Amino acid sequence: MARMHACEREPDVLDALARDWWPNRADDDLRAHVAGCASCTDLVVVAGALQQELAVATDARRLPPADIVWWRAQLRARDEAVRRATRPIAVAHGVAIAVSTVVAWEASRAVAGWAWEARGVLAEWAGQCGASLASFGAGVLARASSGSVLWILLIATALVAVALTPVAVYFAVNEE
Amino acid sequence: MVFRMDEDAFRAFYDRTARPLWAYVSRMAGDPQFADDLLQESYFRFLRAGVAWESEAHCRRYLFRIATNLVNDHRWRRRRREVPLPEPGTAWEPRADTDVAGGAERRTDVGRALARLRPRERQLLWLAYAEGASHREIAAALGLALGGIRVMLFRARRRMAALLAESRSGGS
C-alpha cells in the first residue's frame, strides 16, 4: 500500500515550480530526491500541469471590465432592494383583497336576509293599511335584495379597502 | 451607496482576482461560457454580503467559497456526478493562437484528467496547485475541516497523476 503522508520536501518542490526553476534550475539534490520519491514525482506532474493550465486559462480569456461587473451588481442590488421594499405592500394587498371578498360575501348574505324579512313585514303592512308608500318601500328592498344596489356598494367598499391598505402599510412600516 | 465596498476598492480587488477566479470556475464547471455567468454572480454575492475587509487573502477566500458553492449548486441542479468532458473544440480544447502542439496535447490530457476526477478532488487540486492556497485557505474556501485536507489532497493528487500517466501512455 502506498504511503499516505506527504513528503517533507514537498514545499521545496512547490517552491521550485512556483519560481519556474523546475527542472533545469533546481538543485541537483532536489532533482535526485524527486526521482526517487513517488509522492514528489506525483506533485511535480500534477502541480506542473495545473500551473500550466492556469496560465493558459488566465491568458486566453477576455473578461468583462470591473466597471461593467460593478454596474451590473449595482443594478441588481437596487432591483432586489425595490422588490424587498414592495413585498410587504404586495402581501398586504393580497390580504386586503381576500378579507374584502369574505366580508362582502358575508355582508351581502346578511343584508339580503334582512331585506327579505323587511319586505315581508312591509307587505303585511301594505295588506293591512293599503298604504302605497309601504308598497314602494317593499319594491326598493326587493331590488336591493336581488343584489344590484347592494353589490355595487359592497364592491366599492372593497375597492377602497384594497386601495387604501398598501398606503396604510407604507405609513406603518416607513421609518422616516 | 448600495454596497459596503466602494467602487475603487472593488476595481482593484477585481483586477487581482477575476482571472484566477474565472480559471477556477471554468475548470470546475467545465464550461467557459457558464464560467462568465458564475464570475458575475460570484462578485455580486460577494458585494451583497458586505464582507469586512480584514485582508486581501480573507476576501479572496470568501470569494472562492462563494464560487465553489455556486459551482456545486450548478452541478447538483444538473444531477450529474461528474462534469462531462466537453466536446473537442470547446472547453478543454487548446486555443490555436496561444499554444504549440506539444503544450496543446498536454493540456488536453490535463483537461481530461480533471474531468474524470470527483468535483471535490478537482477543487482541492486546483486551489492547492494552481492557486497555491495553503491547507487553511483550502479548508476555508471549500468549507472542509482543516485536519482532513492533507490526506484528501494526497489522494486526489495520486489519482490525478495516475490519470495523467494513463492518458499520456495512450489509455482511455
Side-chain angles (χ1 to χ4, degrees):
Chain A
M1 184 173 171
R3 197 161 59 102
M4 288 299 295
H5 299 292
C7 176
E8 62 184 14
R9 301 223 48 189
E10 282 185 10
D12 298 334
V13 176
L14 283 174
D15 186 54
L17 284 166
R19 293 168 188 267
D20 206 15
W21 286 356
W22 184 266
N24 297 331
R25 293 173 62 192
D27 294 341
D28 292 341
D29 176 44
L30 188 61
R31 284 207 300 267
H33 168 77
V34 169
C37 174
S39 176
C40 286
T41 302
D42 286 352
L43 178 63
V44 166
V45 170
V46 172
L50 289 175
Q51 285 174 10
Q52 284 186 351
E53 191 72 15
L54 173 69
V56 171
T58 52
D59 284 348
R61 191 72 178 184
R62 278 194 70 186
L63 297 178
D67 296 347
I68 298 294
V69 174
W70 172 263
W71 175 71
R72 284 179 185 156
Q74 289 265 341
L75 275 184
R76 213 174 129 188
R78 289 199 176 109
D79 284 348
E80 286 193 354
V82 168
R83 272 203 298 277
R84 269 200 307 274
T86 55
R87 194 176 300 140
I89 294 175
V91 170
H93 222 145
V95 170
I97 289 171
V99 169
S100 300
T101 304
V102 171
V103 167
W105 174 252
E106 290 299 324
S108 69
R109 285 180 55 196
V111 172
W114 171 79
W116 184 260
E117 288 177 8
R119 189 176 63 169
V121 170
L122 287 174
E124 195 175 330
W125 264 12
Q128 288 173 354
C129 307
S132 59
L133 182 61
S135 298
F136 175 73
V140 169
L141 286 168
R143 281 199 298 279
S145 65
S146 72
S148 55
V149 175
L150 183 64
W151 275 109
I152 289 169
L153 287 172
L154 289 172
I155 289 169
T157 306
L159 287 175
V160 169
V162 168
L164 290 182
T165 303
V167 178
V169 170
Y170 172 77
F171 283 113
V173 301
N174 192 8
E175 293 176 358
E176 293 180 357
Chain B
M1 176 72 69
V2 179
F3 301 124
R4 190 169 174 173
M5 180 181 266
D6 66 43
E7 187 173 355
D8 289 340
F10 173 76
R11 190 181 293 125
F13 181 65
Y14 179 87
D15 289 343
R16 287 191 295 271
T17 54
R19 287 198 174 275
L21 184 69
W22 185 87
Y24 175 65
V25 294
S26 72
R27 288 333 186 232
M28 297 306 107
D31 180 351
Q33 301 304 321
F34 184 64
D36 292 344
D37 296 337
L38 277 183
L39 186 82
Q40 176 76 46
E41 183 67 21
S42 298
Y43 281 106
F44 170 69
R45 293 191 184 198
F46 172 81
L47 288 167
R48 188 179 59 181
V51 181
W53 186 271
E54 291 178 18
S55 65
E56 169 105 9
H58 170 252
C59 289
R60 195 182 175 100
R61 279 199 299 274
Y62 199 95
L63 183 67
F64 273 77
R65 176 76 179 265
I66 291 170
T68 300
N69 290 338
L70 287 171
V71 169
N72 289 341
D73 288 347
H74 171 63
R75 196 177 57 249
W76 289 331
R77 273 199 300 273
R78 292 195 306 182
R79 296 182 178 180
R80 290 181 187 170
R81 289 182 65 85
E82 303 283 330
V83 173
L85 183 66
E87 291 298 316
T90 58
W92 302 115
E93 193 70 8
R95 290 162 184 270
D97 57 341
T98 55
D99 299 301
V100 293
E105 188 177 332
R106 192 162 52 244
R107 279 197 311 282
T108 304
D109 291 341
V110 175
R112 288 190 175 135
L114 279 172
R116 291 176 66 186
L117 291 171
R118 295 185 189 94
R120 182 65 84 204
E121 291 174 328
R122 274 200 296 274
Q123 292 163 357
L124 279 163
L125 290 173
W126 191 272
L127 290 174
Y129 302 129
E131 277 297 304
S134 67
H135 289 185
R136 186 176 299 279
E137 288 168 335
I138 293 170
L142 300 184
L144 298 172
L146 177 60
I149 297 293
R150 182 181 297 274
V151 171
M152 285 192 286
L153 195 53
F154 182 85
R155 287 177 178 155
R157 192 174 74 204
R158 199 168 54 178
R159 184 146 185 256
M160 182 160 179
L163 288 169
L164 283 172
E166 181 185 312
S167 177
R168 286 166 188 174
S169 67
S172 59

